[in-house]
Amino acid sequence: MAVSIDRENRIFTLHTKNTSYQMKADEMDVLIHTYYGARIDDSDLSQLVIHCGRGFSGNLYENGKGDRNYTLDVLPQEYSCFGTGDYRITALRVKNPDGSQACTLRYKKYELSQGKYSLDGLPAVYADPGEAETLSIWMEDPFSHLEVILRYGVLPELDIITREAEIVNRGGSPVVLKKAASMNLDIQYGDFDWLTFHGRHTMERNIQRTELEHGVQAVGSVRGTSSHHYNPFAVLCEKNTDEDKGGCYGFSFLYSGEFLLETEKDQISQTRLICGIHPDDFSWTLEPGEAFQTPEVMMTYSGSGFGQMSRNFHKVIREHICRGEWKKKRRPVLINNWEGTYFNFTGDKLVSMAKDAGKLGIELFVMDDGWFGKRDDDNSGLGDWFPNEKKLGCTLKRLGERINEAGMQFGIWFEPEGISEDSDLFRAHPDWAVRIDGRRPDLSRNQLMLDISRKDVQDYIIERLCSILSEAPITYVKWDMNRSICDKYTKGLDADHQGEFSHRFVLGLYRILETLNRRFPYLLIEGCSGGGGRFDAGMLYYTPQIWCSDNTDAIGRLDIQCGTSFCYPVSTMGAHVSAVPNHQTGRVTPLQTRGRVAMAGTFGYELDLSSMTEEEKEEVKRQVEFFKKHYDLIQYGEYYRLRSPKEGCSVWEFVDEEGKEALVTAVYSYVISNSPFVNVKVHGLKPDAVYRVQLLKNEDTDPWFEQSELARDRILSGNALEQAGIVIPGAGKDYQSWQFYISLLEEQE
Ligand code: GLA
């Protein structure tokens, strides 16, 4: 059993293979948190929770007037409430019918069940009944009868615990939720840093490590989406934690809208972390009997550094969040015309691009923005999802057939949530755009958003998309979203309910995506929001891959993909080889390096092959072959960050789960004269087995290299590779890359 329950003492211990999590309903019926970390037995760890009076920290009335020791203000709790003596950041804040904001949650009962709970209309980790257990704990405010059900999903093999809270109004009058976080984690002891992932358009998910000091530190989004600017993912870690050692807790929010991830180091240096929907833009009225469902958070603990934490998340995302046919099916190598043509194309041009690509082994052609309505730039046409047959020179169906005749599958770009003021849709339904009557809305990319918090608008999009997807042979959709939302207001709700808009927008998005997934199970949907502006575990439930960034520069991508890999697996990161000089940075990098970097994602191209030389095309062909050959290793293998891009030479490794083969890739960000050698340890191999280590020949290999000792294969044991490692050749020029293929020769008995 993953969940062990001491009924008499009301202790709940959740066990995974390597971790344990414990809570207890104490003598005051408060659900206290006692432990999260490396696996332990079922010992009652509430002994670590010492009650002791703290000046200006109040005491529970029911504890007797003489006792000044029991105070919620420093007590580690499972779900903290605002307004009743816990002055830290709190998980739940309500407005009661009388206008007061107090809430007092007390333990009522629990229920344990096999399998993993799911959430209506929201993404959630899923598992077979034998793979997970669910513990539900009921809490209640004895005064207002507000009920909170805390759910814990335990996936023992994956070291993953999920959390969410359902809030039910069991009282007789409406209650307003002003903040309803998904989780609260209190860690009593220890001194932590935290890692957050900040960024901007074309430079997402930069890693920031900061010390937790007294006070509150937070990242979040009020942009309507999870955003380029902060990712809904964070790590709490011990001071000495690095890739391979030290304790760390990871928190990933399965939500694509406005979020807040906050920490507080309190008066006695305890750490509290809260994650949930951002409260600034949120309020939700619960009529008597109504319930509010918070989105889910998944957590993991690793006692052996960030690498293991990431691999835990990679596995759960690959196997228990991504769904449908594309979870296991080999995804096609694609070519997208965006950077190749932007808006300037014809149907014939696209077909010729597809033909060129088909000859090189590329399998899917994606027609990006500009194929519909009046859309020759980004100032008009959004919302008019009717093919521009004049521009395409034929119907969409015919275009799809022509692409198929070139031996390629056909994919298409949509931005269903957007609307241009200069569009027939806007002219017909100006009230469908998100804006406030009597105010001028802020434009971004010269566009507005469609109010998909409304069901009629959702239904319209569903109808339009389904019609297009049924009329042409389309097997792939790139689902874009190109602005942050402001001027939030919906005609679908009255003034008192406007605080529900942002969350209802996300629920609307999920409903549309769910409908498409069900109607077109063969469809591969790639998420996108100006690149990685909505790269979160919530989206991955509907779109198994997401365009990682509009920055296609291989060197810029090193940082972006490295930051992204802290939570998200390679199989989710859209990555393409593009032309040089790069369109975002002007940098000129070798084609080989561009290929190797894009191969640390869902590999594809985004350029006009007709402007390449025959030699370059041959190289593309070899890249595609190489990727297909090593597909399983790259997409399903274990991923190790061996050296950070910040160190000038970025190195990463894929190794299959059984340790039979590994691929190590190194990319130099710059060349240093007479540089020291780079040595990396190779992980995940069998210590006693013997391996062949091949340094793969580079496209531009100099004759000197062929003769050098570096070019010779080595025979080494897994143990030697793990402990002593390999040496990466230096860079002879900027942005040079190297690759080692390591394969099992023989296994020792
Ligand atoms: C966004 C996407 C790009 C491209 C353009 C098209 O910026 O991230 O990849 O699809 O929109 O307008």
Side-chain angles (χ1 to χ4, degrees):
M1 288 291 276
V3 178
S4 133
I5 299 174
D6 173 344
R7 284 164 193 249
E8 201 187 323
N9 297 303
R10 303 191 301 183
I11 300 169
F12 307 90
T13 314
L14 321 181
H15 294 295
T16 69
K17 209 158 79 182
N18 300 297
T19 76
S20 299
Y21 184 106
Q22 193 185 72
M23 61 201 126
K24 172 177 172 144
D26 74 1
E27 60 284 6
M28 306 311 301
D29 292 335
V30 172
L31 188 62
I32 62 170
H33 175 81
T34 63
Y35 180 78
Y36 186 26
R39 179 151 180 151
I40 50 157
D41 55 27
D42 296 343
S43 303
D44 177 358
L45 292 178
S46 65
Q47 55 178 298
L48 300 175
V49 181
I50 312 292
H51 295 283
C52 157
R54 304 275 169 190
F56 285 79
S57 292
N59 311 112
L60 287 196
Y61 196 90
E62 57 264 49
N63 206 20
K65 294 200 174 116
D67 186 345
R68 295 188 175 188
N69 286 336
Y70 192 104
T71 174
L72 289 179
D73 202 16
V74 291
L75 197 65
Q77 295 159 68
E78 279 301 305
Y79 200 67
S80 55
C81 299
F82 181 85
T84 44
D86 187 341
Y87 297 93
R88 296 169 285 184
I89 50 173
T90 43
L92 181 66
R93 181 170 181 173
V94 300
K95 189 168 151 214
N96 294 307
D98 61 5
S100 68
Q101 297 191 35
C103 188
T104 304
L105 289 182
R106 294 293 178 265
Y107 173 81
K108 293 297 286 182
K109 60 171 182 177
Y110 77 89
E111 196 180 280
L112 182 60
S113 53
Q114 273 307 115
K116 165 73 178 51
Y117 63 85
S118 57
L119 301 178
D120 224 14
L122 282 167
V125 168
Y126 63 89
D128 289 340
E131 293 174 321
E133 283 173 30
T134 294
L135 174 68
S136 307
I137 296 190
W138 273 258
M139 321 254 283
E140 194 199 27
D141 181 326
F143 307 101
S144 69
H145 303 295
L146 191 76
E147 183 179 86
V148 175
I149 307 155
L150 298 178
R151 289 202 184 83
Y152 300 81
V154 187
L155 285 84
E157 277 306 304
L158 299 169
D159 286 330
I160 291 286
I161 296 176
T162 68
R163 293 194 56 176
E164 63 93 11
E166 185 180 342
I167 301 153
V168 192
N169 182 1
R170 298 274 179 220
S173 310
V175 171
V176 180
L177 302 179
K178 300 181 74 171
K179 180 178 184 184
S182 300
M183 64 158 291
N184 174 127
L185 178 69
D186 281 344
I187 307 180
Q188 269 197 290
Y189 304 106
D191 202 7
F192 297 98
D193 289 347
W194 85 318
L195 263 60
T196 51
F197 298 81
H198 68 96
R200 53 193 184 275
H201 180 225
T202 70
M203 212 51 233
E204 298 89 338
R205 291 172 292 285
N206 301 280
I207 305 163
Q208 175 170 275
R209 181 172 185 158
T210 39
E211 255 175 67
L212 290 191
E213 305 276 13
H214 286 276
V216 178
Q217 290 186 35
V219 293
S221 162
V222 288
R223 294 169 174 273
T225 58
S226 47
S227 87
H228 301 83
H229 305 79
Y230 299 103
N231 196 258
F233 170 68
V235 183
L236 274 184
C237 63
E238 289 162 3
K239 297 282 173 195
N240 69 341
T241 302
D242 61 21
E243 277 297 323
D244 307 312
K245 66 169 190 332
C248 56
Y249 304 87
F251 307 89
S252 173
F253 195 25
L254 279 75
Y255 191 58
S256 313
E258 304 185 350
F259 74 96
L260 183 64
L261 249 163
E262 41 180 350
T263 57
E264 178 168 359
K265 187 163 169 178
D266 73 6
Q267 57 177 318
I268 56 168
S269 299
Q270 302 176 118
T271 301
R272 170 169 285 179
L273 181 137
I274 290 181
C275 176
I277 292 178
H278 203 303
D280 278 9
D281 226 350
F282 171 85
S283 72
W284 196 280
T285 304
L286 284 182
E287 297 295 331
E290 280 184 356
F292 180 79
Q293 181 66 68
T294 70
E296 177 169 283
V297 180
M298 52 178 182
M299 320 185 287
T300 193
Y301 171 80
S302 152
S304 46
F306 301 130
Q308 190 54 50
M309 173 203 71
S310 297
R311 287 186 289 280
N312 293 349
F313 280 127
H314 294 174
K315 195 153 194 191
V316 71
I317 289 175
R318 269 199 320 255
E319 293 177 16
H320 298 271
I321 289 185
C322 294
R323 299 177 293 167
E325 289 187 10
W326 294 101
K327 174 176 162 179
K328 287 277 178 228
K329 198 156 117 186
R330 194 173 73 70
R331 307 207 195 133
V333 176
L334 68 79
I335 183 155
N336 176 306
N337 72 305
W338 179 243
E339 287 200 12
T341 65
Y342 296 104
F343 291 102
N344 186 17
F345 59 83
T346 59
D348 285 345
K349 174 67 188 169
L350 299 183
V351 172
S352 104
M353 287 175 98
K355 281 186 180 155
D356 287 348
K359 287 181 204 140
L360 306 180
I362 299 173
E363 298 154 304
L364 163 71
F365 179 82
V366 180
M367 173 171 68
D368 210 278
D369 196 355
W371 57 268
F372 52 92
K374 185 183 122 199
R375 184 76 174 168
D376 288 324
D377 55 40
D378 55 14
N379 292 311
S380 64
L382 263 193
D384 293 342
W385 301 111
F386 297 92
N388 180 345
E389 292 181 2
K390 203 164 150 231
K391 182 167 178 177
L392 301 181
C394 59
T395 62
L396 189 65
K397 177 165 187 266
R398 184 63 205 127
L399 181 69
E401 286 166 358
R402 291 178 71 197
I403 300 227
N404 290 166
E405 283 156 17
M408 302 278 283
Q409 298 162 46
F410 180 44
I412 192 169
W413 179 96
F414 281 106
E415 189 181 342
E417 300 151 81
I419 181 166
S420 308
E421 279 185 303
D422 183 3
S423 69
D424 292 341
L425 187 66
F426 185 81
R427 284 182 280 274
H429 297 284
D431 60 316
W432 282 11
V434 177
R435 55 184 192 147
I436 306 165
D437 284 347
R439 287 177 189 273
R440 280 189 299 272
D442 197 36
L443 294 171
S444 182
R445 213 187 187 209
N446 209 12
Q447 72 186 63
L448 296 169
M449 294 305 298
L450 264 182
D451 181 3
I452 56 163
S453 72
R454 284 169 56 169
K455 183 155 180 304
D456 55 345
V457 181
Q458 295 163 23
D459 288 343
Y460 174 79
I461 296 182
I462 291 171
E463 184 282 318
R464 259 309 64 221
L465 264 58
C466 289
S467 153
I468 300 258
L469 294 172
S470 318
E471 82 188 41
I474 297 167
T475 55
Y476 164 106
V477 161
K478 178 172 168 189
W479 182 293
D480 211 341
M481 193 306 197
N482 274 316
R483 62 162 293 176
S484 302
I485 312 177
C486 63
D487 301 296
K488 293 168 194 154
Y489 182 81
T490 172
K491 290 215 157 61
L493 296 167
D494 64 22
D496 289 343
H497 292 79
Q498 288 297 321
E500 299 177 12
F501 168 77
S502 295
H503 182 54
R504 288 193 186 277
F505 185 97
V506 179
L507 293 178
L509 168 70
Y510 289 157
R511 175 172 169 253
I512 302 169
L513 285 166
E514 183 67 26
T515 309
L516 291 192
N517 271 309
R518 279 172 200 245
R519 286 214 201 153
F520 305 96
Y522 58 85
L523 196 67
L524 172 60
I525 310 183
E526 175 155 352
C528 176
S529 175
R534 199 159 55 185
F535 205 122
D536 54 69
M539 276 313 275
L540 291 171
Y541 189 67
Y542 304 95
T543 71
Q545 60 190 59
I546 299 176
W547 180 226
C548 199
S549 177
D550 273 352
N551 184 349
T552 59
D553 169 37
I555 302 307
R557 275 292 183 124
L558 293 175
D559 283 311
I560 297 169
Q561 293 176 188
C562 174
T564 306
S565 78
F566 269 71
C567 180
Y568 309 99
V570 158
S571 59
T572 64
M573 288 187 224
H576 300 167
V577 173
S578 62
V580 289
N582 178 267
H583 293 191
Q584 291 77 41
T585 61
R587 197 179 261 132
V588 178
T589 49
L591 179 54
Q592 178 140 51
T593 296
R594 281 176 273 153
R596 285 173 172 167
V597 174
M599 271 182 222
T602 66
F603 185 56
Y605 291 80
E606 187 164 330
L607 41 73
D608 186 354
L609 289 166
S610 69
S611 54
M612 281 187 143
T613 63
E614 285 311 309
E615 292 73 50
E616 284 173 326
K617 284 193 210 164
E618 281 306 308
E619 193 173 335
V620 167
K621 200 170 169 186
R622 286 193 290 277
Q623 288 181 351
V624 173
E625 266 165 27
F626 183 88
F627 178 71
K628 288 182 184 169
K629 184 163 161 214
H630 296 289
Y631 184 89
D632 285 356
L633 176 59
I634 294 172
Q635 299 294 306
Y636 308 127
E638 304 257 282
Y639 178 82
Y640 287 82
R641 291 175 294 266
L642 303 186
R643 249 174 93 97
S644 151
K646 299 278 174 254
E647 294 175 81
C649 175
S650 174
V651 190
W652 62 90
E653 175 195 351
F654 302 108
V655 55
D656 76 304
E657 253 185 304
E658 286 166 27
K660 289 189 173 153
E661 54 170 358
L663 186 66
V664 174
T665 307
V667 179
Y668 282 91
S669 305
Y670 43 81
V671 63
I672 303 179
S673 165
N674 196 11
S675 66
F677 289 114
V678 170
N679 166 242
V680 291
K681 316 262 159 86
V682 184
H683 299 294
L685 301 172
K686 302 170 197 250
D688 297 331
V690 178
Y691 293 86
R692 176 192 304 281
V693 182
Q694 272 174 284
L695 176 59
L696 302 183
K697 194 168 159 237
N698 274 353
E699 293 286 343
D700 56 354
T701 300
D702 291 329
W704 71 261
F705 178 77
E706 298 260 30
Q707 270 112 57
S708 90
E709 56 183 321
L710 285 166
R712 282 202 307 274
D713 290 357
R714 325 251 146 160
I715 308 296
L716 283 162
S717 69
N719 172 262
L721 285 162
E722 170 98 44
Q723 301 304 333
I726 54 174
V727 179
I728 311 281
K733 57 182 178 193
D734 274 345
Y735 319 127
Q736 189 157 27
S737 60
W738 298 100
Q739 219 159 27
F740 288 87
Y741 179 65
I742 300 169
S743 51
L744 186 72
L745 265 187
E746 61 194 61
E747 229 165 311
Q748 234 66 350
E749 279 309 303

